[in-house]
Each structure stands twice: as C-alpha cells, then as structure tokens.
C-alpha cells in the first residue's frame, strides 16, 4: 500500500487517539505534579441569612479569593513534585502502621484500604468470570440448533444492562427488606442486613460483577469453540478420552489465546471497579481506587476539588493496571515469538 | 414537526389549567438550574407559566452550577442555591447584586428573605429547612412517654419502644456515608457549641465537643436499622411512612410526605417538634434555599429573569402549596407541619456555617466518620484523621498555609 493511502486510512484514528487518549493523559500527568489554586485574602464580611422570623447577621473573617479586573479568579499554578502522590499514598502512616504490625491501622488509610479491596475484587472475580464464561459457552455450544439463538440471547442479557443500573437493581433487591433479603430471612428464619457490614457487600459486588461480565467471556469462548479441530476431538474420543480429558487437553489449549485475551480485558476493567461502589453506596464500608479518584475530583458544596490528588491517584491506577498486565502480556509475547 | 407542536400544545394546556397564571408574557428565553425537591418543582412550574422558560431540576446541581454560571454568557439565568452552594458562585463573582431589581420589581419581598453580603443582596431566600425531631405521637402516647427534648430522653424512649416491639427500629437516622453523615455531625457539633475553625482556617474539631458529637451518634446507631450507613433522607422518610420507625431527626422539607395519603401509612400520626437539645443549642443547623441571578447575562435578561422568579414566588403559588416547605414568602401559613422547624429556630439553632473551608470539612467528615461507627477507629483517632484529611485538602485548595 502506498504510504499516502496508508496515512489517509490511519490518520483519522491516530488523530482521535492523540486527542482523546494521549493529550488527556499528558494533561493528567502534568497536573499530578502541579497544584493550581486561587489566591485568598482574609477579609471581614458581614453575612445576613434568614432565621425563622428575623434575620441573623454575623460579621466574621472569611477567606475570599481575589478576582482580576475582568472578574475572573486569579489562579496560580505551582510545581509541587511528588507531593500529591505522597498525599495519596500516605507512606509515612502506612509504614508506621505496618511497623506496629496493625493491619487494622494500615487498612484505615484510604489508599491502602481501596487497594486491598480492588485487588481482592480483581483477583477473585477473574477465575470466576473465566470459569462461568466457559461453562456458558459449552452449554450454548451443546444446545440443539433450535434453541441456540434464544439461549445466546438470554445469556447475553446481563452484559447489555448498563453497569450502574444493574448495580442499583441488585442494591434494591437486597436493601433493607428488599425482595431477596426478605426471601433469605424467611428461608433462614433470621434477620439479615446485607448492607450493614463490609464482607456481605463485597460478596454482592463480586457476584454482581461475575453475573455482568461472564456473558462477554462466554461469547468470546463460544466463538473460539467453533474453530476447535474436530479431527483432534474425534481422535481423542477414539483414544478413549473422557469428556473432561477432551476439555482439558484439546479444547482449553485451543482456547488459550482467548483466555489470555479475556483475562487482560477483565484485569483492566475490574481494577477500575467503580459502578459497584456507587450503585451499592458502599463507601462507608468498602471503597475502590477508582472511587477514590472520583471522590478527589468531585467538587464539594463550596466548589473545592482536589484535582492534583485526583490526577496522582489516576496515574497510580494506571501504573497498577500496567503491573497487573505484565504477566499475561509476557505470555502473549513469548507465544508470539515462539509461533514464528 | 406537527407531532411536536401537538405535544407542546398538550403540555401547555395541562399547565394552563393551574389557577396561578403568570401576570405577564415573558419574551426573553430563560433557563434555571436548581435542586429537584418538591419546593423547587412548585416554584419553577409557576415560573414556566410565564412562557419561554426552561427549568433544570437536578439533585446534583451543585456539581454543574459553578462551571455553568462561570461561562460567558452564563448557561443559566436563574439559579437555585442554599447556604453552602451560594459560596462558589459568590467567590467566583458569577452572580449579580439584586438591589436595583428588588427596588423595581421586588415589592413583595420581606427583609428576612434578603441574603446580604456586606450590605448587598445576592440572593432571595424562599424557604428555610432544618433537621428536627419527628415522632409517632400515637406510639409515644400508648406507651406513656413524654415527647423527648434531648438525645438522652430520645434514647430512653427508644428503649421502651424497643421493649414494646411496636416498630422494627425505634430511631431512624440520615446516616448515609458522605454528605448526610457529615451533616449529622455538624448538627451535633453545633449543638454542643463547637466552632469548626480556629485562626487561619485551621480545623478545630478534635476536642470535647467533637467527642460528644461522635459519641451521641454512635449511641443512636444502636437503635437504628443496621444498614444506617446507606440510609439517606428519602430512605428514612419511607421508613417513617411505612411505620417501621418511631422517631427521627429529619428534614422539615420531608414533613409534608408524612401526611401524603398516597405514600404514607401514618397520616396524621407524626408530630413535629424541636430538634433534640445539645448542651448549647439544638442539634440542628438552619438552611435556606433561594434564588440567584447570573452575572454574565445582559441586564435585559436579568430583569426578565428576576420578574419571572418573582412570579414563581407569588403569594397564591405559595398558599396553594403551603405544605411543600417552610416558606419565607408571603402567602404561607405556618401549620403543624412547620412547628418543628419553628421550634428548632426558636430554641436557638445556629445557621449552617457555610464557607469555602466548611465545604472541605463537610467532605472530610462525610468520608471519615463511618470508620468510627464501624468500630475501625476510636473517637480521638477518627477526629485526628479527619483534621489531617481536611488540612491536606485545604492546603491543596490554598485555604491553609
């Protein structure tokens, strides 16, 4: 292909990637090393607010940001180095907690609390998603052609639901005397509060994520199952291989590249676990790294937001994902080299 | 196109059935952004009668408002704000003083409604709101319990109600982690007479008042639904309506819902009283909601916006929706539903101490208190950690040196 044609084809997508991925990333990277703040001056202000019948007026010293002649906020931007990272990681406190051997104290630090949950969540849901996905794929593959369409449709449904909406529905099913909690209470004949302690919320979150993502794994595996070499399977049957042995020694090795692919996608997605925290309003018990970033970023009622710490936290999340992906990537790389 | 016209006509005819038609025909296209609760719906519906008016009712309005008003021209003309959400608009100079407009068109505005900063009026308050005690009068009467006036009495009453087993949980609380939980602490801390900040915006909560506030909150949770950390105002309101709780320190704006026969099973059984008394003041803080006009719009637009806003706050609009809020506007008759807010104010409840630093403090409290209630930290560590979190954020915002 002539270079010009090639450039015309990939140009737009490179432009989009620069605009929507590279540029924001560079901007976040730069913001994580800077702090931008208004210039405050202390002035005495009299504020009158309504009481029930009469007004209350108070005069007090308030920090008021300075405006320039155009009425715009004066803002200064300072380089702070790794300060924002230090504020997020709180390494000093973490070390101190670990030195005293107190896991509880360590888990009272937001970042490490969030990291603990994020990693648990990611690593526990991964095998479940792969296993359940493979199971669904095998069921679809073995279903008779007549019902296959409807079975695929039904098993894909959870994946179609918007994540936040799905999480909210689970919340409502289990919250207070929600339908499923009420059923469980009746069945076990005891009072159950699913949202009163961390571990029940964590189990619900993981179940929800597996329910939501397994169909994606299933559809990928199902596609892979269509290309399994039938001759190998037949020879395996002739050699007397059981159903399990055929799965273990013929089907799974064939699906391996797809399993690595689903693993990578799942690691990337679940390390950014967020919808579950919001949907279950679990932040009193359980928080995730992505939620922490969001919490820094969202303005409080007086309009303050911690953009520098949010940027630092976002960069740390990215680093975490890269670390997690190293193992599957190395595997793919080795196979790629070995295959040629 | 035709279908759209038909739909619009249909909507217009539905709206037109109200008896509170606007007194003039508005020709300037106007937009408003406010919170989405009942009172704002009432007021913006009345404004819409004037024509060319579009209201955004959004419970998350506080995240949009500062940026939307900072745009030039501003994306909205009229804003709905409360004590706290006024601060960013005021700080960035994106709302205009209203004194000229009040002199021209604001004859019906009472002095009490004008929010003045250094003598200039920046907002027109329309209602006050505060958390105050609501209790099931029938249950307390049956058990021979006098109406509680402090948290200690409230918990003594709760013990008796628990023993009698008449409701699922004696006490309800808006303890949802985040804004709600922090607001409960603010109420109790003010009730103990605490001051949030010292010199130079330094935090001042790790003290006896802070301890007292945390301890009373923890003591209350023993009488609550164990899922209190996910209970917001709407959830507590529903627990009341379904007869699952007997007492709560709940928002005045939720009082009307208790007597809404379509939702409530306890119509006429809930009595409004003053917020429980702390050692210095009632455990509550006074809030107001009101209207501001953007700075980055033409004077002509501002004039139209102000006139339309005044139509929304007409006495007959308020009179027709008397129970939707504790209104400050003429036309309101304080009924039994407003008694709790009135008694709380009369007992000396302090206004919510809204400011830039307080916004950060509120967030730090909202994130930090759950660990104490869960038993992960003791009270002193919790308060120290919240102060540390506040200081980090306030330094980043430039409020603390």
């Amino acid at each position: 292909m002539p270079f010009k044609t090639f450039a015309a084809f990939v140009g737009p997508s490179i432009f989009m990637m620069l605009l929507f991925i590279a540029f924001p990333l560079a901007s976040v990277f730069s913001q994580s090393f800077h702090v931008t703040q208004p210039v405050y001056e202390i002035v005495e202000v009299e504020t009158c607010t309504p009481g029930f019948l009469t007004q209350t007026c108070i005069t007090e010293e308030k920090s008021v940001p300075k405006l320039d002649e155009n009425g715009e906020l004066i803002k200064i931007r300072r380089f702070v180095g790794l300060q924002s990272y230090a504020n997020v990681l709180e390494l000093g406190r973490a070390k101190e907690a670990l030195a005293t051997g107190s896991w509880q104290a360590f888990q009272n630090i937001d970042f490490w609390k969030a990291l603990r949950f994020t990693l648990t969540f990611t690593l526990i849901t991964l095998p479940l998603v792969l296993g359940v996905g493979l199971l669904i794929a095998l069921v679809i593959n073995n279903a008779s052609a007549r019902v296959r369409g409807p079975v695929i449709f039904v098993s894909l449904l959870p994946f179609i639901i918007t994540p936040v909406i799905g999480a909210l529905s689970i919340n409502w099913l289990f919250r207070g005397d929600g339908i499923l909690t009420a059923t469980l209470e009746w069945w076990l004949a005891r009072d159950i509060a699913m949202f009163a302690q961390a571990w029940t919320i964590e189990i619900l979150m993981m179940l929800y994520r597996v329910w939501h993502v397994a169909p994606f794994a299933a559809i990928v595996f199902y596609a892979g199952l269509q290309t399994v070499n039938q001759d190998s399977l037949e020879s395996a049957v002739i050699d007397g291989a059981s159903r399990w042995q055929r799965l273990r020694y013929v089907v799974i090795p064939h699906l391996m590249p797809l399993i690595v692919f689903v693993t990578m996608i799942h690691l990337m997605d679940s390390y950014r676990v967020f919808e579950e925290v919001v949907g279950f309003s679990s932040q009193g018990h359980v928080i995730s790294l992505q939620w922490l970033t969001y919490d820094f970023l969202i303005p409080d009622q007086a309009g303050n937001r911690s953009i520098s710490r949010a940027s630092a936290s976002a960069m740390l999340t990215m680093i975490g994902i890269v670390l997690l992906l190293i193992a599957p990537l190395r595997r793919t790389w080795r196979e790629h080299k070995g295959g040629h | 196109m035709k279908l759209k016209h038909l739909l619009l006509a249909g909507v217009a005819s539905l709206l037109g059935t109200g008896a509170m038609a606007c007194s003039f025909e508005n020709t300037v296209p106007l937009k408003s952004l406010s919170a989405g609760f009942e009172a704002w719906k009432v007021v913006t519906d009345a404004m819409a009668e004037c024509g060319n008016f579009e209201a955004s009712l959004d419970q998350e309005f506080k995240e949009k408002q500062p940026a939307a008003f900072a745009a030039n021209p501003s994306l909205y003309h009229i804003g709905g704000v409360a004590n706290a959400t006024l601060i960013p608009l005021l700080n960035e100079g994106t709302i205009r003083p209203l004194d000229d407009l009040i002199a021209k068109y604001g004859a019906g505005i009472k002095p009490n409604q004008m929010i003045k900063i250094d003598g200039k009026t920046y907002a027109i308050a329309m209602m006050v709101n505060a958390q105050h005690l609501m209790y099931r009068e029938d249950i307390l009467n049956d058990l021979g319990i006098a109406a509680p006036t402090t948290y200690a009495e409230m918990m003594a009453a709760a013990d008796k109600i628990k023993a009698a087993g008449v409701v699922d949980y004696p006490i309800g609380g808006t303890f949802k982690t985040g804004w709600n939980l922090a607001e409960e602490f603010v109420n109790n801390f003010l009730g103990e007479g605490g001051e949030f900040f010292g010199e130079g915006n330094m935090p001042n909560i790790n003290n006896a008042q802070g301890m007292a506030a945390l301890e009373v909150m923890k003591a209350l949770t023993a009488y609550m639904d164990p899922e209190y950390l996910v209970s917001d105002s709407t959830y507590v309101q529903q627990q009341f309506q379904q007869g699952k709780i007997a007492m709560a320190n709940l928002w005045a704006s939720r009082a009307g819902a208790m007597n809404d026969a379509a939702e409530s099973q306890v119509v006429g059984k809930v009595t409004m009283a003053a917020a429980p008394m702390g050692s210095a003041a009632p455990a509550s803080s006074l809030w107001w909601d009101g209207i501001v006009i953007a700075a980055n719009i033409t004077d002509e637009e501002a004039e139209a916006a102000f006139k339309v806003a005044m139509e929304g706050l007409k006495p007959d609009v308020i009179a027709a929706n008397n129970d939707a809020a504790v209104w400050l506007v003429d036309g309101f008759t304080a009924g039994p539903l407003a008694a709790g807010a009135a008694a709380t104010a009369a007992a000396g409840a302090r206004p919510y101490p809204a400011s830039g630093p307080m916004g950060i403090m509120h967030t730090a409290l909202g994130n930090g208190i759950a660990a104490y209630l869960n038993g992960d930290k003791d009270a002193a560590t919790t308060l120290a950690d919240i102060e540390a979190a506040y200081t980090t954020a306030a330094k980043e915002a430039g409020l603390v040196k």
Side-chain angles (χ1 to χ4, degrees):
Chain A
M1 195 186 284
F3 176 74
K4 242 181 147 176
T5 323
F6 175 75
F9 270 111
V10 298
S13 85
I14 287 187
F15 173 72
M16 292 292 193
M17 279 166 79
L18 284 176
L19 186 66
F20 293 114
I21 302 177
F23 172 69
L25 202 62
S27 152
V28 169
F29 183 73
S30 142
Q31 287 183 65
S32 69
F33 291 100
H34 289 87
V35 159
T36 309
Q37 38 185 227
V39 183
Y40 284 95
E41 56 185 345
I42 306 268
V43 285
E44 201 152 272
V45 183
E46 188 199 28
T47 314
C48 294
T49 55
F52 198 60
L53 292 170
T54 53
Q55 274 198 321
T56 3
C57 293
I58 33 173
T59 306
E60 56 185 355
E61 292 199 327
K62 286 209 162 168
S63 299
V64 178
K66 284 191 197 165
L67 303 180
D68 63 15
E69 62 273 19
N70 299 325
E72 304 276 335
L73 273 183
I74 303 173
K75 285 191 170 170
I76 44 166
R77 186 178 154 95
R78 260 184 319 122
F79 179 78
V80 292
L82 290 169
Q83 186 60 45
S84 298
Y85 289 88
N87 287 344
V88 172
L89 290 170
E90 300 188 68
L91 285 175
R93 267 182 76 194
K95 250 186 220 152
E96 209 174 287
L98 287 178
T100 56
S102 164
W103 176 251
Q104 181 69 66
F106 183 58
Q107 283 298 299
N108 278 338
I109 307 168
D110 282 344
F111 178 83
W112 302 101
K113 182 180 173 185
L115 181 68
R116 199 279 306 156
F117 169 70
T118 306
L119 281 178
T120 323
F121 181 85
T122 306
L123 297 178
I124 293 184
T125 52
L126 176 63
L128 291 175
V129 164
L130 292 175
V132 175
L134 187 58
L135 193 72
I136 299 175
L138 289 171
V139 168
I140 297 175
N141 204 34
N142 288 325
S144 76
R146 267 216 324 236
V147 292
R148 194 169 291 168
V151 169
I152 293 180
F153 175 71
V154 170
S155 55
L156 267 182
L157 271 182
F159 192 57
I160 298 169
I161 294 173
T162 312
V164 174
I165 305 297
L168 276 176
S169 346
I170 302 283
N171 179 349
W172 290 326
L173 286 173
F174 283 98
R175 175 91 162 273
D177 287 332
I179 261 186
L180 290 183
T181 308
T183 314
L184 277 176
E185 284 178 346
W186 168 80
W187 186 43
L188 299 170
R190 52 170 297 193
D191 203 28
I192 294 173
M194 293 298 278
F195 288 87
Q197 55 281 315
W199 65 274
T200 41
I201 300 182
E202 286 185 28
I203 288 177
L204 278 184
M205 286 174 157
M206 291 183 203
L207 285 178
Y208 167 72
R209 181 55 73 106
V210 172
W211 175 79
H212 179 63
V213 185
F216 166 71
I219 211 71
V220 172
F221 294 153
Y222 174 65
L225 286 177
Q226 306 314 303
T227 60
V228 173
N229 190 332
Q230 293 302 316
D231 292 347
S232 322
L233 273 183
E234 264 173 40
S235 16
V237 172
I238 291 166
D239 288 346
S242 68
R243 196 172 262 269
W244 165 248
Q245 283 168 325
R246 270 176 280 156
L247 180 67
R248 174 74 188 79
Y249 297 108
V250 181
V251 176
I252 290 188
H254 176 73
L255 291 182
M256 212 54 208
L258 293 179
I259 292 178
V260 173
F261 164 73
V262 171
T263 301
M264 294 199 324
I265 297 281
H266 184 72
L267 286 177
M268 281 191 269
D269 277 352
S270 56
Y271 196 76
R272 291 182 289 112
V273 48
F274 176 66
E275 293 91 347
E276 283 85 351
V277 177
V278 171
F280 290 27
S281 30
S282 73
Q283 54 272 35
H285 299 284
V286 177
I287 57 173
S288 72
L289 289 173
Q290 189 78 353
W291 184 84
L292 205 59
T293 310
Y294 161 84
D295 190 48
F296 287 139
L297 195 58
I298 201 147
D300 65 35
Q301 53 188 1
N304 308 297
R305 44 165 77 185
S306 305
I307 292 192
S308 307
R309 271 189 297 163
S311 308
S313 166
M315 293 311 294
L316 288 170
T317 306
M318 211 183 70
I319 292 169
I321 293 178
V322 169
L323 289 179
L324 274 182
L325 287 187
I326 284 177
L329 274 177
R330 273 182 58 185
R331 194 197 150 87
T332 322
W333 176 243
R334 253 184 292 142
E335 265 171 18
H336 183 72
K337 275 210 309 202
H340 290 275
Chain B
M1 202 58 192
K2 253 191 179 153
L3 185 68
K4 200 174 163 195
H5 280 158
L6 272 176
L7 281 174
L8 279 176
V11 170
S13 67
L14 279 176
L15 289 172
T17 51
M20 305 156 289
C22 184
S23 65
F24 74 102
E25 176 77 34
N26 175 41
T27 52
V28 186
L30 296 174
K31 281 177 159 187
S32 82
L33 175 65
S34 66
F37 55 83
E38 188 59 28
W40 281 114
K41 199 170 168 308
V42 166
V43 172
T44 50
D45 279 353
M47 293 185 200
E49 308 254 313
C50 300
N52 275 319
F53 174 81
E54 197 184 311
S56 295
L57 298 171
D58 185 347
Q59 282 300 84
E60 305 300 325
F61 74 101
K62 69 173 197 292
E63 279 144 38
K64 291 190 206 165
Q65 214 166 32
F69 274 66
N72 199 356
S74 168
L75 301 185
Y76 298 92
H77 306 85
I78 302 173
V81 297
N83 311 28
T85 40
L86 173 69
I87 303 291
L89 303 181
L90 208 53
N91 276 350
E92 293 174 23
T94 53
I95 50 173
R96 58 174 66 211
L98 302 173
D99 300 279
D100 302 351
L101 293 168
I102 294 172
K104 252 181 165 171
Y105 304 105
I109 298 172
K110 294 191 274 189
N112 188 24
Q113 282 178 264
M114 298 178 200
I115 308 301
K116 289 190 176 166
I117 287 95
D118 274 344
K120 284 190 208 159
T121 309
Y122 280 92
I124 311 288
M126 61 174 198
M127 56 176 277
V128 286
N129 206 355
Q131 284 183 266
H132 63 75
L133 181 65
M134 301 187 189
Y135 63 90
R136 286 277 301 278
E137 177 132 39
D138 55 329
I139 294 179
L140 267 67
N141 282 347
D142 284 351
L143 299 173
I145 308 169
T149 57
T150 63
Y151 272 124
E153 288 177 27
M154 198 168 155
M155 285 186 266
D159 276 324
K160 288 183 196 161
I161 296 170
K162 206 175 191 176
V166 281
V167 285
D168 290 2
Y169 310 104
I171 295 178
T174 53
F175 273 44
K176 181 175 171 178
T177 317
W179 196 91
N180 289 278
L181 188 59
E183 177 63 14
E184 289 285 350
F185 179 89
V186 171
N187 288 342
N188 284 297
F189 189 69
L190 291 178
E192 293 300 318
E195 289 290 339
F196 281 95
F197 302 104
E199 195 70 14
N201 294 327
M202 289 309 281
N204 182 36
I205 58 163
N206 191 2
N207 50 30
Q209 288 101 342
M211 292 281 195
L214 278 187
E215 273 157 20
V216 80
M217 286 171 73
K218 183 148 195 174
L220 284 168
T221 60
Y223 300 96
M224 287 182 192
D225 182 339
E227 295 177 352
Y228 53 82
L229 285 179
V230 291
S231 305
D232 58 10
S233 313
T234 304
Y235 195 68
V236 175
Q237 171 195 319
Q238 286 165 352
Q239 285 184 314
F240 241 132
Q241 289 175 326
Q242 294 162 8
K244 289 182 179 167
I245 56 173
M247 298 178 286
N249 203 23
L250 192 59
W251 290 96
S253 54
R254 304 283 173 165
M258 301 301 151
N259 288 346
D260 178 354
E263 293 177 358
S264 174
Q265 300 164 15
V266 293
V267 174
K269 292 178 182 168
V270 179
T271 301
M272 310 298 153
M277 200 64 188
S279 49
S284 183
S285 47
L286 296 182
W287 287 76
W288 55 263
D289 281 272
I291 283 168
V292 293
I293 307 279
N296 295 337
I297 54 175
T298 63
D299 289 344
E300 193 188 2
E301 283 173 322
E303 205 166 310
F306 191 80
K307 277 166 75 181
V308 166
M310 286 304 104
E311 288 294 323
L313 298 176
K314 272 197 305 200
D316 47 350
V317 175
I318 304 305
N321 297 283
N322 200 52
D323 286 344
V326 182
W327 300 101
L328 291 166
V329 187
D330 265 334
F332 174 65
T333 358
L337 287 178
T344 305
R350 291 157 67 185
Y352 179 84
S355 69
M358 192 60 203
I360 296 176
M361 179 58 88
H362 206 108
T363 305
L365 287 166
N367 287 338
I369 294 175
Y372 170 68
L373 298 179
N374 284 338
D376 291 346
K377 290 181 193 171
D378 60 31
T381 317
T382 306
L383 292 172
D385 284 358
I386 292 171
E387 287 199 342
Y390 164 83
T391 311
T392 307
K395 267 187 190 154
E396 191 175 331
L399 283 161
V400 164
K401 288 278 170 274

